Amino acid sequence: MSPTPAAPAAPAPAVPMPRRREPRRRGRERAGALVSAVALALAGAAAAAQPSAAGVGAPPAPSAYRAPVHPPVLARAFVAPPEPWAAGHRGVDLLAAAGADVVSPADGIVSFTGPVAGRGVVTVLHPDGRRSSVEPVVPHVTAGDPVRAGERLGTVGEGGHCAGTCVHWGVREGDRYVDPWSLLAGAGPVVLLPVR
């Protein structure tokens, strides 16, 4: 004989919890604080969207960047590594003649100049938080120098990893490398639009 299934237990009776009423004054204070916070946020956003008299507004758009050498001829493209520790090409190589000028890709502050692995490196911290590094460079600037987009950082040095002479340009957002070529006006990803 099979056991008879037990009847489901009746749910425990719900015990009403006493309702705590908040004084109306506290509710009005919270509503007023919320309205004030929203108004301040909107005013701040509107002010940030308006350029100042000096022409400084939001962080530079990607088109505010320029190649560190002229003319920009891509010798080797950016190859993102599958994982941060894996192999990849964390920048672009641009053909350049030995001794040619290397310029700042955007406004910023020089944060580093010196040799890395036997090559001269210059790093610029930009107002949008990105860091551009160029190599091999014989620096004409020192750490702490403010630079404008297109201002000379130095000249193309010897070394590097190109078959000919080139400048390697790497860009970091935090600890993540991004494709510098995509920061140039008209050089980013191609977007196909429907034909009408």
Side-chain angles (χ1 to χ4, degrees), residues 76-107:
R76 185 173 175 202
F78 175 84
V79 178
E83 299 293 337
W85 60 86
H89 188 241
R90 293 167 172 84
V92 294
D93 293 339
L94 304 169
L95 295 179
D101 284 344
V102 179
V103 301
S104 181
D107 293 351

Side-chain angles (χ1 to χ4, degrees), residues 29-62:
E29 288 172 0
R30 285 186 180 168
L34 178 61
V35 168
S36 296
V38 169
L40 284 173
L42 290 175
Q50 297 291 329
S52 70
V56 178

